[in-house]
């Protein structure tokens, strides 16, 4: 328990440093964007590659992923059902469903996995599941709903997750692990060094992003935001806990892993999807912000109860 709280304390301190950097303007107007792009395109793919290349794949494709997948489907399904009844429309309902169950396995999942769970590979299965299954399905629904989105043929848009650098890094690591290739240290060490930048870059960028944020949860999307946040911060982790304990009999560290993963906030790239299709942009922005803030006490509570 003390180790888990120490992990959260480390994360909080680095975020606070990022906030101070943002308040002081020390990295300039585009500091956050540079850190985010560095982490997304370079450091996080390197971290996941080196981690997964050394990981036993049986630990990845396990009952933990099934629990996360089912809890994601449950949270998103509830939002879709309410959206259909209330007539929120296909586009907004799709974005809201994503905000209800699509966890931030990259930006916050990686540092939390490293400092709280002790293993970055624990978020890789969830990340791949979301990028390779949920994202194509959601983009297809948005396309079929008639919204103007990203230009180009449908097949090209469906392959977008495969052009995601984090997905590519994760898949490359899985291939190396499955093939048993032994990469020499002179080639692996530079990649490891680059990967070590991922966690601090992400946390500093997140701290900077907290500066000047507008008050969320106002306007016509307020009911959608409140529902998606409730499902994300409470509904999904509760379902994950019930499935893990009642169906799969998980205890100890595996139970903590799946509940913490499910309690992660809505992913920031959901705002990118909403912006690309011109639908539910404020819903995505507010849901991400509120669920991110509320995820802190939720994650601390989960760690206290299960750690």
């Amino acid at each position: 328990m003390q180790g888990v709280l120490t992990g959260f304390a480390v994360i909080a301190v680095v975020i606070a440093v990022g906030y101070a950097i943002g308040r002081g303007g020390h990295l300039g107007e585009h500091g956050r964007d540079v850190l985010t792009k560095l982490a997304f395109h370079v450091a996080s793919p390197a971290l996941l590659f080196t981690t997964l290349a050394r990981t036993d794949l049986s630990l990845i494709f396990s009952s933990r992923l099934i629990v996360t997948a089912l809890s994601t489907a449950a949270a998103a399904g509830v939002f879709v059902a309410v959206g259909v009844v209330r007539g929120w429309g296909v586009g907004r309902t799709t974005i809201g469903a994503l905000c209800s169950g699509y966890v931030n396995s990259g930006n916050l999942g990686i540092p939390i996995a490293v400092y709280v769970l002790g293993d970055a590979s624990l978020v890789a299965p969830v990340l791949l599941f979301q990028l390779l299954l949920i994202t194509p399905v959601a983009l297809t629904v948005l396309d079929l709903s008639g919204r103007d989105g990203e230009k180009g043929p449908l097949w090209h848009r469906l392959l977008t997750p495969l052009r995601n650098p984090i997905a590519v890094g994760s898949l490359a690591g899985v291939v190396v692990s499955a093939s048993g290739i032994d990469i020499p240290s002179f080639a692996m060490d530079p990649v490891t060094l680059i990967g070590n930048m991922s966690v601090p870059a992400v946390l500093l960028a997140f701290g900077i992003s907290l500066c000047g944020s507008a008050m969320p949860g106002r306007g016509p999307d307020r009911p959608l935001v409140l529902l998606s946040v409730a499902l994300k911060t409470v509904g999904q982790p509760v379902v994950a806990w019930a499935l893990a304990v009642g169906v799969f009999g998980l205890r100890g560290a595996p139970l903590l892993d799946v509940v913490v993963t499910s309690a992660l906030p809505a992913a920031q790239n959901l705002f990118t999807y909403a912006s690309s299709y011109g639908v539910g942009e404020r819903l995505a922005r507010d849901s991400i912000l509120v669920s991110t803030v509320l995820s802190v006490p939720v994650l601390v509570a989960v760690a206290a109860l299960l750690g």
Side-chain angles (χ1 to χ4, degrees):
M1 174 62 188
Q2 182 177 355
V4 173
L5 293 178
T6 300
F8 279 118
V10 170
I11 292 173
V13 169
V14 179
I15 290 175
V17 171
Y19 180 81
I21 291 173
R23 292 278 294 182
H26 300 297
L27 296 184
E29 182 180 355
H30 304 291
R32 186 194 69 177
D33 293 337
V34 171
L35 287 173
T36 300
K37 290 178 180 178
L38 172 66
F40 182 80
H41 291 283
V42 182
S44 292
L47 175 62
L48 287 171
F49 170 77
T50 56
T51 301
L52 290 172
R54 304 186 182 106
T55 300
D56 182 359
L57 294 184
S58 64
L59 299 177
I60 298 178
F61 302 104
S62 64
S63 58
R64 302 182 193 184
L65 179 59
I66 299 176
V67 171
T68 302
L70 291 176
S71 65
T72 298
V78 170
F79 193 97
V80 169
V82 175
V84 170
V85 172
R86 298 295 299 271
W88 287 337
V90 175
R92 293 166 75 211
T93 299
T94 301
I95 296 298
L98 287 173
C99 292
S100 301
Y102 195 112
V103 304
N104 193 336
S105 56
N107 288 350
L108 290 180
I110 291 175
I112 286 176
V114 170
Y115 282 106
V116 177
L117 303 178
D119 186 357
S121 67
L122 293 174
V123 300
V126 179
L127 188 149
L128 293 174
F129 164 68
Q130 293 185 155
L131 288 175
L132 302 181
L133 180 61
I134 296 181
T135 296
V137 170
L139 295 184
T140 300
V141 171
L142 290 173
D143 273 310
L144 295 178
S145 69
R147 297 286 183 178
D148 293 329
E150 180 184 344
K151 302 300 181 182
L154 177 59
W155 67 266
H156 187 266
R157 292 195 290 273
L158 295 180
L159 291 178
T160 296
L162 296 179
R163 302 195 300 274
N164 184 301
I166 293 181
V168 171
S170 299
L171 288 172
V174 169
V175 170
V176 170
S177 178
S179 63
I181 298 174
D182 185 16
I183 300 178
S185 59
F186 72 84
M188 185 66 87
D189 288 350
V191 181
T192 301
L193 185 61
I194 293 172
N196 290 338
M197 294 189 296
S198 173
V199 172
V202 165
L203 295 178
L204 289 173
F206 180 71
I208 295 173
S209 71
L210 296 179
C211 297
S213 298
M215 288 296 294
R218 297 178 178 177
D221 284 338
R222 179 183 174 87
L224 290 78
V225 172
L226 294 178
L227 176 60
S228 67
V229 170
L231 290 170
K232 181 76 239 27
T233 57
V234 179
Q236 188 177 6
V238 167
V239 171
W241 173 82
L243 289 171
V245 173
V247 178
F248 295 93
L250 298 182
R251 297 291 188 276
L255 176 60
L256 177 64
D257 295 344
V258 295
V259 178
V260 165
T261 301
S262 297
L264 291 171
Q268 294 174 357
N269 58 318
L270 299 180
F271 181 74
T272 302
Y273 301 155
S275 299
S276 298
Y277 286 88
V279 59
E281 295 177 60
R282 183 162 185 173
L283 165 62
R285 185 198 67 189
D286 290 358
S287 295
I288 292 167
L289 179 58
V290 176
S291 66
T292 298
V293 173
L294 293 182
S295 69
V296 176
V298 171
L299 288 168
V300 170
V302 169
L305 293 173
L306 303 179

